[in-house]
Amino acid sequence: AQTPLPTPYLWNNQTIPPSLVQNDINIYSLTVDSKVSSRFAHTVVTSRVVNKGSAVQEATFQMELPKKAFITNFSMIIDGVTYPGNIKEKAAAQEQYSAAVARGESAGLVRATGRKTEQFQVAVSVAPAAKVTFELVYEELLARHLGVYELLLKIQPQQLVKHLQMDIHIFEPQGISFLETESTFMTNELAEALTISQNKTKAHIRFKPTLSQQQKSPEQQETVLDGNFIVRYDVNRTVTGGSIQIENGYFVHYFAPEGLSAIPKNVVFVIDTSGSMRGRKIQQTREALIKILGDLGSRDQFNLVSFSGEATQWKKGLLPASAENVEEAKSYAAEIHAQGGTNINDAMLMAVQLLERANREELLPARSVTLIILLTDGDPTVGETNPSKIQKNVREAIDGQHSLFCLGFGFDVSYAFLEKMALENGGLARRIYEDSDSALQLEDFYQEVANPLLRLVAFEYPSNAVEAVTQDNFRLFFKGSELVVAGKLRDQSPDVLSAKVRGQLHMENVTFVMESRVAEQEAEFLSPKYIFHSFMERLWAYLTIQQLLAQTVSASDAEKKALEARALSLSLNYSFVTPLTSMVITKPEGQEQSQVAEKPVENGNRQGNTHSGHSSFQFHSVGDRTSRLTGGSSVDPVFSHRRGWKGQAQGFEKMSYLPPRLGPPGPLQPTRFSHPFSRITLDRVLPEVLSVPDETSHDMDSRIIGTARPETIPVVPARIQAPSVILPLPGQSVDQLCVDLKHSQGPVKLLSDPGQGVEVTGHYEREKARFSWIEVTFKHPPLQVRASLEHIVVIRNRQSSAYKWKETLYSVMPGLKITMDKAGLLLLSSPNRVTIGLLSWDGPGKGLRLLLRDTDHFSSQISGTFGQFYQDVVWGPPAAADDSKRTVTVQGHDHSATRELKLDYQEGSPGKEISCWTVVL
């Protein structure tokens, strides 16, 4: 349950102080228990609330869950009575809903789709002193993405909770090769409530903060818990690259061989340059394309097709990805601009013709991979505009010979159109969200398909041993991913399950052979602490449903009905809320008798009903709608995307004077009145109690705008500036040194220490006297942090994660801890290593700043523009004529040092004045 924060209200245009708005729904317990058994996650969220008020209050249970997850159960316990959620065929639930609509008794929430999560929400009225227990259960199969599995949990209680606990148990029979956690709300104080224990095959992560640890400060009764908690891990792999695991009569086969060389690829990038791409989108596309071109392998071939009203190819044919060709392509990409209509049909056919011509002329390397990557932000408007006809043209042209990947930029494009076109041609579709990190999203997608390792992969099992096997043939296997096949064991199956996986490498065919002893595998999964019963059967059902739903996208009408019938049967048998089923949630008598929850579908999203942060399960209220509260005016909340939250009681409107948390900058708007687990309904508003003296606005306007009077303008001395860097110098006669860069321009190697395994580079802009970016590269773990004025990007395992300045971050991985506080100080630390800090400084001398701590850990190999001051430094005495000047000798070179007043940025804005020996470089 959730409780909204106090916000001002308006009654007949008079402000109601927050102190007079009471909310008595109290969450006294919130637990999240997630068990991950062989990649399959089973998560139970339990919230217990009590109404401490003297009137009926409405509590709302609201939870964000991963998009790929299926809800399997929801229930409420009220006054000892359990009200379960029943999963039905969508059509049956719809009949119930439609009947209520006809009686005018229904209400619903608009669904919306975000990047990774969907929102589940249900409300119930709670009598005074009554308690309610909400329980939500959902399941998902964690997919391997660029070398890691990721479990995402949302923590958003929005009030202090007496008993708050999160437990994550992971069991991987293959062995856990690495494990890391990341949080967007964790602080150093909260980190004391986080414990991680791990052995070869198991890990337990517990987060159990006390009330005081949850508080923003001792004076504030507000919680700091609001954001993501992410666990990332990978498993050990054998030479065969596969693992067959068996439990309770079902098996799952994971396949991700290591050590294979990438197959050369021939790739055509098809880029939308129509007028709707103008501005930020085309700028980010250029940025991403230049980076992607630089990542092409030396054995790859490529070409570019840009299109608006007409399609244009960069070169007549495919070119090898030589350094010279790549640089020329980068120059071309840097000059693309947006104008005109959208002719997708001609552009796609031109891309296919490029590959077909190269094939006819025997210019494609033998057994290489051919890919087409389409990026567009809108529907076709020029040439062939019928989506079905375009899909047919593309399907016939490709004819199963190439793989097509479609990227939809934003929400003005029909995702269903792109998804069908991709799935019909051996690829997949992905939505690119319009945000500051859109370029990174494009780069990340390319990294997923940049390294094909195997072609035409086929799994084979003895026919007398298995049945009901999921998809067992795959066109391509990419580095960092994983192929998964599941099935049932036959009743009389052998004691040993054997399997063969055949595929094509660049120059040869290969067969992987593996065996699994049934009895030994069954024994692996007997630990009740880590395993939930029959998880592998549910994994098989989950995977089967997901694959059947994907097949319906490109199936004929007759095939689609058969596929949906199978998927529906499994959804009902295993109680999954899928696009084919709905959950009917029953309520106590006298309230809305039931609500229907449906899983959102990506295809249906358009700009008008989307939200950048999360997505909602659609709800319909079903049954008799009675007054929730008696005695006085009730306020029935209605959410409007543009206007915020309004009450239906006359003259009453909730207004927030804080900017919305999500969305583009603009005028202040009302924000939504809900919170992850509870919402109140104000049952009476008494104007005579709430009257507030009216303050005339014109007096205030005259004070602000009034006529300017001539005044004497004082002479303002030049502001003290922050230096380019402040270097702590432990063990030297001077404890710190300020360095100003005045003669540098472009990339500068600031620090390099092979002994510490770290290198720091910056790009200095002399005219603006600032760094436009600073990049920190670590050897162990292999990781890169790139900070710009806009955001921070962490790159690991070819995967990029973007973070905005002044958003809290707490990430712990083997060998490194990354933290960022609300002041925008990013710290990269590890025991026995130098701590490197990056700061977005907005004081005088605005720009990026570098901080160093624990510099006594630098090795004797340290070098660089700043690093040189930790090697062979000799300070001369102050000059006799002017003791504010002296000479410092660094590795035999003399530098003049002057004692100056500087602004110390190390504690954040506004900084403090210090007297510092300063060297200009």
Side-chain angles (χ1 to χ4, degrees):
Q2 297 186 353
T3 306
L5 303 177
T7 47
Y9 286 80
L10 295 182
W11 175 269
N12 290 336
N13 294 320
Q14 294 184 352
T15 303
I16 301 173
S19 58
L20 294 180
V21 181
Q22 297 296 320
N23 176 14
D24 298 306
I25 295 293
N26 176 255
I27 311 167
Y28 62 90
S29 176
L30 172 62
T31 61
V32 179
D33 185 79
S34 190
K35 291 181 170 63
V36 183
S37 308
S38 188
R39 287 76 141 177
F40 194 62
H42 173 92
T43 301
V44 182
V45 181
T46 307
S47 178
R48 294 180 170 87
V49 306
V50 60
N51 181 3
K52 290 193 170 182
S54 58
V56 174
Q57 301 272 355
E58 185 179 71
T60 298
F61 178 88
Q62 180 179 303
M63 185 69 193
E64 289 189 38
L65 57 147
K67 270 186 171 183
K68 292 292 186 182
F70 288 156
I71 289 176
T72 66
N73 189 42
F74 174 77
S75 63
M76 296 182 291
I77 302 174
I78 306 173
D79 295 330
V81 180
T82 299
Y83 298 88
N86 298 310
I87 296 175
K88 296 183 176 182
E89 181 182 359
K90 183 169 284 189
Q94 186 69 27
E95 284 180 21
Q96 203 172 351
Y97 169 61
S98 298
V101 169
R103 296 193 300 269
E105 296 172 346
S106 66
L109 296 178
V110 175
R111 76 177 68 175
T113 298
R115 292 197 194 182
K116 292 185 176 181
T117 60
E118 296 167 343
Q119 189 182 84
F120 175 89
Q121 178 176 302
V122 65
V124 64
S125 296
V126 185
K131 294 181 178 180
V132 179
T133 297
F134 300 99
E135 184 177 276
L136 175 71
V137 184
Y138 62 87
E139 294 173 348
E140 64 173 322
L141 179 63
L142 304 182
R144 191 166 183 250
H145 172 75
L146 293 174
V148 297
Y149 305 102
E150 181 177 287
L151 177 71
L152 169 65
L153 299 170
K154 283 279 188 177
I155 309 294
Q156 297 173 301
Q158 291 194 10
Q159 64 171 257
L160 302 177
V161 180
K162 185 176 181 181
H163 175 233
L164 191 150
Q165 182 169 330
M166 178 177 64
D167 285 283
I168 301 167
H169 292 277
I170 299 173
F171 175 57
E172 290 290 350
Q174 286 175 257
I176 299 171
S177 62
F178 85 91
L179 182 142
E180 65 184 46
T181 62
E182 178 185 309
S183 168
T184 57
F185 58 78
M186 197 74 69
T187 62
N188 286 325
E189 293 74 21
L190 272 175
E192 297 175 4
L194 178 67
T195 57
I196 302 173
S197 56
Q198 180 183 346
N199 61 23
K200 183 180 177 182
T201 59
K202 298 175 183 177
H204 178 205
I205 300 158
R206 170 168 288 178
F207 179 59
K208 191 178 181 181
T210 63
L211 281 170
S212 61
Q213 287 172 324
Q214 296 173 46
Q215 285 179 259
K216 284 186 175 179
S217 69
E219 298 79 27
Q220 292 179 292
Q221 295 297 308
E222 296 178 12
T223 180
V224 298
L225 304 181
D226 182 8
N228 299 339
F229 188 89
I230 299 170
V231 179
R232 298 187 185 96
Y233 73 94
D234 198 13
V235 301
N236 299 318
R237 301 182 192 281
T238 62
V239 177
T240 60
S243 172
I244 300 175
Q245 298 168 22
I246 299 168
E247 190 253 354
N248 202 32
Y250 286 78
F251 79 92
V252 62
H253 185 173
Y254 295 111
F255 180 74
E258 297 285 301
L260 301 180
S261 298
I263 300 173
K265 62 182 181 293
N266 312 283
V267 57
V268 179
F269 300 97
V270 184
I271 307 299
D272 184 346
T273 59
S274 61
S276 57
M277 288 283 288
R278 190 178 293 116
R280 194 183 194 188
K281 282 195 278 192
I282 199 69
Q283 177 186 339
Q284 291 174 321
T285 299
R286 285 195 296 257
E287 179 186 331
L289 192 53
I290 289 169
K291 175 70 168 60
I292 288 167
L293 289 168
D295 289 338
L296 287 169
S298 59
R299 298 186 300 166
D300 294 340
Q301 296 189 117
F302 74 105
N303 202 343
L304 304 168
V305 171
S306 60
F307 70 95
S308 51
E310 296 179 352
T312 305
Q313 59 190 46
W314 171 52
K315 297 290 184 181
K316 290 184 177 180
L318 294 178
L319 291 184
S322 65
E324 182 181 350
N325 288 337
V326 166
E327 285 307 311
E328 188 180 348
K330 286 181 179 180
S331 299
Y332 174 81
E335 296 300 321
I336 60 175
H337 58 278
Q339 63 179 15
T342 308
N343 192 335
I344 294 176
N345 187 75
D346 286 2
M348 287 302 304
L349 296 182
M350 180 178 286
V352 177
Q353 287 162 9
L354 274 168
L355 293 173
E356 289 298 314
R357 190 185 314 123
N359 187 39
R360 287 194 305 271
E361 296 172 1
E362 299 183 348
L363 299 176
L364 300 182
R367 299 161 69 106
S368 59
V369 170
T370 51
L371 308 176
I372 299 172
I373 298 178
L374 166 68
L375 170 66
T376 181
D377 78 329
D379 294 338
T381 61
V382 176
E384 180 58 69
T385 59
N386 184 320
S388 298
K389 187 68 186 299
I390 295 172
Q391 290 164 343
K392 179 174 181 288
N393 292 344
V394 172
R395 182 174 63 251
E396 291 176 352
I398 288 179
D399 194 26
Q401 299 304 303
H402 320 295
S403 296
L404 171 62
F405 297 90
C406 297
L407 304 178
F409 205 144
F411 286 92
D412 290 332
V413 64
S414 169
Y415 188 82
F417 162 65
L418 294 181
E419 184 180 42
K420 181 174 183 180
M421 195 159 62
L423 291 177
E424 285 181 333
N425 295 285
L428 54 86
R430 181 75 52 82
R431 194 187 294 283
I432 302 299
Y433 293 85
E434 292 185 57
D435 208 337
S436 61
D437 68 340
S438 296
L440 290 175
Q441 295 177 54
L442 291 168
E443 293 167 27
D444 264 7
F445 174 81
Y446 173 74
Q447 288 298 333
E448 290 182 54
V449 300
N451 295 288
L453 302 180
L454 283 171
R455 299 174 65 244
L456 306 178
V457 184
F459 290 71
E460 299 175 7
Y461 307 95
S463 58
N464 65 337
V466 301
E467 61 182 341
V469 176
T470 60
Q471 179 183 345
D472 56 8
N473 281 270
F474 303 86
R475 183 179 290 195
L476 292 168
F477 166 68
F478 294 101
K479 182 178 180 179
S481 66
E482 182 172 64
L483 301 180
V484 185
V485 178
K488 297 181 187 181
L489 297 181
R490 292 188 182 275
D491 292 339
Q492 304 298 321
S493 62
D495 295 335
V496 176
L497 176 60
S498 61
K500 291 181 181 179
V501 182
R502 303 183 190 275
Q504 294 182 4
L505 298 170
H506 175 33
M507 299 304 292
E508 61 181 330
N509 295 340
V510 64
T511 301
F512 298 87
V513 180
M514 56 212 73
E515 292 182 341
S516 183
R517 297 187 178 278
V518 176
E520 289 180 8
Q521 284 290 315
E522 293 271 14
E524 287 264 24
F525 295 100
L526 294 179
S527 172
K529 187 175 182 181
Y530 284 79
I531 307 304
F532 54 97
H533 182 62
S534 298
F535 85 92
M536 202 163 287
E537 181 178 354
R538 298 190 63 79
L539 184 161
W540 165 81
Y542 171 97
L543 185 61
T544 303
I545 293 169
Q546 291 280 25
Q547 292 178 353
L548 289 170
L549 292 174
Q551 290 170 34
T552 62
V553 174
S554 56
S556 65
D557 289 344
E559 292 171 331
K560 186 175 181 179
K561 286 184 179 180
L563 292 167
E564 286 184 344
R566 288 179 58 198
L568 173 62
S569 176
L570 286 169
S571 300
L572 294 172
N573 288 344
Y574 290 92
S575 296
F576 285 133
V577 178
T578 70
L580 302 175
T581 56
S582 299
M583 176 183 284
V584 179
I585 300 164
T586 56
K587 292 188 180 182
E589 188 175 352
Q591 301 191 39
E592 292 173 349
Q593 286 304 293
S594 60
Q595 281 186 299
V596 178
E598 298 177 353
K599 186 168 180 62
V601 180
E602 181 80 33
N603 299 358
N605 296 332
R606 304 298 288 177
Q607 197 166 18
N609 63 352
T610 59
H611 188 292
S612 62
H614 59 263
S615 70
S616 304
F617 272 73
Q618 182 164 352
F619 281 86
H620 317 298
S621 301
V622 179
D624 296 331
R625 183 180 180 85
T626 59
S627 175
R628 294 192 182 115
L629 305 174
T630 58
S633 304
S634 68
V635 179
D636 191 6
V638 178
F639 181 68
S640 162
H641 179 70
R642 294 184 62 84
R643 300 174 61 192
W645 185 101
K646 282 201 172 185
Q648 290 177 345
Q650 185 178 4
F652 180 87
E653 180 178 6
K654 173 182 179 290
M655 295 292 290
S656 168
Y657 299 108
L658 296 174
R661 291 179 54 198
L662 294 166
L668 302 184
Q669 306 174 27
T671 55
R672 187 175 181 177
F673 186 47
S674 74
H675 120 265
F677 310 102
S678 119
R679 183 175 66 222
I680 63 166
T681 299
L682 195 65
D683 62 335
R684 5 186 114 71
V685 181
L686 303 177
E688 62 271 24
V689 176
L690 299 171
S691 61
V692 178
D694 184 34
E695 183 177 1
T696 55
S697 59
H698 64 270
D699 289 340
M700 184 177 292
D701 291 343
S702 65
R703 290 196 301 271
I704 296 171
I705 303 173
T707 307
R709 295 190 302 271
E711 294 181 359
T712 303
I713 301 174
V715 177
V716 180
R719 286 193 299 177
I720 298 171
Q721 299 286 314
S724 300
V725 72
I726 299 175
L727 301 176
L729 303 175
Q732 297 190 31
S733 58
V734 172
D735 60 353
Q736 63 183 10
L737 172 68
C738 294
V739 178
D740 276 324
L741 298 179
K742 294 287 179 68
H743 309 298
S744 298
Q745 174 63 36
V748 182
K749 187 171 77 170
L750 304 178
L751 296 168
S752 180
D753 189 347
Q756 285 275 299
V758 65
E759 186 170 293
V760 182
T761 307
H763 188 277
Y764 194 75
E765 298 175 325
R766 186 165 51 203
E767 287 186 7
K768 297 181 179 179
R770 70 181 188 185
F771 287 104
S772 59
W773 55 259
I774 297 177
E775 194 170 85
V776 184
T777 304
F778 291 95
K779 206 169 185 178
H780 302 292
L783 177 140
Q784 190 178 76
V785 178
R786 185 183 179 94
S788 66
L789 296 168
E790 188 173 36
H791 55 215
I792 302 128
V793 178
V794 179
I795 304 171
R796 187 177 185 203
N797 295 322
R798 298 176 295 122
Q799 182 174 19
S800 302
S801 301
Y803 308 94
K804 293 179 180 176
W805 288 106
K806 301 185 180 181
E807 287 184 352
T808 52
L809 172 66
Y810 193 94
S811 178
V812 180
M813 61 192 72
L816 187 66
K817 181 167 76 171
I818 305 176
T819 64
M820 182 164 59
D821 60 20
K822 290 286 187 184
L825 175 59
L826 180 78
L827 291 177
L828 313 169
S829 61
S830 181
N832 303 315
R833 289 170 90 171
V834 178
T835 295
I836 297 174
L838 299 171
L839 176 69
S840 178
W841 168 254
D842 50 15
K846 183 177 180 180
L848 297 176
R849 289 295 187 276
L850 178 71
L851 293 85
L852 297 175
R853 297 177 183 173
D854 310 310
T855 54
D856 53 321
H857 289 307
F858 276 133
S859 76
S860 59
Q861 300 170 279
I862 181 70
S863 64
T865 300
F866 298 156
Q868 63 180 324
F869 292 97
Y870 295 94
Q871 285 271 41
D872 304 326
V873 178
V874 178
W875 285 89
D882 186 351
D883 63 2
S884 67
K885 295 184 178 180
R886 65 197 300 184
T887 299
V888 57
T889 303
V890 182
Q891 296 179 321
H893 298 282
D894 290 343
H895 298 273
S896 296
T898 308
R899 184 172 284 282
E900 299 177 4
L901 277 179
K902 292 290 184 182
L903 207 55
D904 187 347
Y905 57 79
Q906 295 176 100
E907 300 299 325
S909 188
K912 62 180 181 180
E913 291 184 16
I914 59 170
S915 178
C916 185
W917 286 104
T918 303
V919 170
V920 177
L921 298 177

